[in-house]
Amino acid sequence: MNIRIKIGYWLIAFVLVLLCMNNCTDDSYLIDGGTSDPNFDGTIMEFLQSRSPENDPKNDYFSDLVKIIKLAGMEDVVEKDNITLFAPTNWSIRKSMDFLNRVVYQSGEDSVKYLEQVNPEVWKEFLSMYIIEEKYRLRDIPQIDTTAIAAYPGQTYISYGGVPMNAGVVYGDANGVKYVGPRQILYSYIYDITVSDMRNAYVATSDIQPRNGVVHVIRLTDHDFGFDKYSFTIRAMQEGIIRSSQTNKE
């Protein structure tokens, strides 16, 4: 082989090694958003409102959540308390509302068109599950491995509604090596502690930091508001669907 070609191969190999070393020592991938600034100069409520259609029509993630917070009478909690909010998006809320509508329709009643038609106490009960006191970033939450729960159980937290919830960080695998890959928060409702039955919600974006706490955004596609659309529907129907013509449709 020509000596110049050999030297060329060695130079390419050397560059590849340097690139690999650089990538392996860069841990910015551990938190969604890479090295972008996680801080938001405002309250948690203001952050949610900034991702609503009035401020950003192309990024309407939380307009339903903002409305639910108001209906539940929990604005002060989201504005003033030091909390961690696991924020469900419009898609999660609408999935549970769609299921409620199917059940209501099958029972022979008119469909539920507005969030305001669900009793405020129901919204407060389920919304409270997504809020825990104090500030917990990804690095503050212990590891969880759902295949080795005894060794890595995450941690139980009591939500604002007094419901036990579990939060843990899932450590992904990389190149066949356990626990060295990307990390993702798993937030779960402990449905039945006696049989370790948990209803899970994966966080898509973590560690957004407004002035009064932390926001972790729950993944869009596979989460039903309330962690169980059946329980949400049962409670909404138990409390009665509001049919008054005075329903506020802000």
Side-chain angles (χ1 to χ4, degrees), residues 14-73:
F14 180 68
V15 171
L16 289 174
V17 169
L18 288 177
L19 287 172
C20 180
M21 290 176 64
N22 181 64
N23 288 336
C24 291
T25 55
D26 179 9
D27 64 355
S28 63
Y29 70 92
L30 297 178
I31 298 174
D32 289 334
T35 57
S36 61
D37 185 2
N39 298 300
F40 178 81
D41 187 20
T43 66
I44 290 176
M45 189 66 162
E46 288 169 338
F47 167 74
L48 298 176
Q49 290 171 329
S50 74
R51 300 300 189 273
S52 60
E54 293 81 7
N55 294 289
D56 192 350
K58 294 182 179 180
N59 292 294
D60 179 17
Y61 292 100
F62 302 120
S63 56
D64 287 352
L65 179 57
V66 167
K67 185 172 287 188
I68 287 170
I69 290 168
K70 294 177 180 179
L71 291 171

Side-chain angles (χ1 to χ4, degrees), residues 108-122:
E109 299 183 28
D110 292 336
S111 60
V112 182
K113 296 181 179 180
Y114 307 106
L115 298 175
E116 290 86 353
Q117 291 180 257
V118 175
N119 190 294
E121 288 303 313
V122 175

Side-chain angles (χ1 to χ4, degrees), residues 1 3-21:
M1 182 181 291
I3 187 66
R4 291 183 178 178
I5 296 176
K6 287 184 178 181
I7 293 172
Y9 280 142
W10 280 109
L11 285 173
I12 292 170
F14 180 68
V15 171
L16 289 174
V17 169
L18 288 177
L19 287 172
C20 180
M21 290 176 64

Side-chain angles (χ1 to χ4, degrees), residues 12 21 24 36 70 97 101 121 128 179 186 194 200 206 239:
I12 292 170
M21 290 176 64
C24 291
S36 61
K70 294 177 180 179
M97 286 293 290
N101 253 320
E121 288 303 313
S128 296
Y179 305 144
L186 180 63
T194 62
N200 300 325
S206 61
E239 293 297 324

Side-chain angles (χ1 to χ4, degrees), residues 30 33 51 62 83 93 100 140 145 159 165 217 245-246:
L30 297 178
R51 300 300 189 273
F62 302 120
I83 61 171
I93 294 165
L100 169 62
D140 303 317
D145 184 342
S159 72
M165 308 293 292
V217 181
S245 59
Q246 300 303 313

Side-chain angles (χ1 to χ4, degrees), residues 44 74 76-78 80-86 127-137 140-141 155-167 187 212-216:
I44 290 176
M74 297 185 72
D76 279 353
V77 173
V78 181
K80 300 176 183 178
D81 291 4
N82 187 39
I83 61 171
T84 298
L85 171 66
F86 293 86
L127 177 60
S128 296
M129 298 170 70
Y130 294 89
I131 302 171
I132 56 178
E133 292 182 355
E134 300 182 8
K135 180 178 178 178
Y136 294 97
R137 290 165 291 185
D140 303 317
I141 299 172
Q155 184 170 326
T156 299
Y157 302 86
I158 302 301
S159 72
Y160 252 66
V163 176
M165 308 293 292
N166 192 83
Y187 187 60
N212 65 312
V214 179
V215 177
H216 305 297

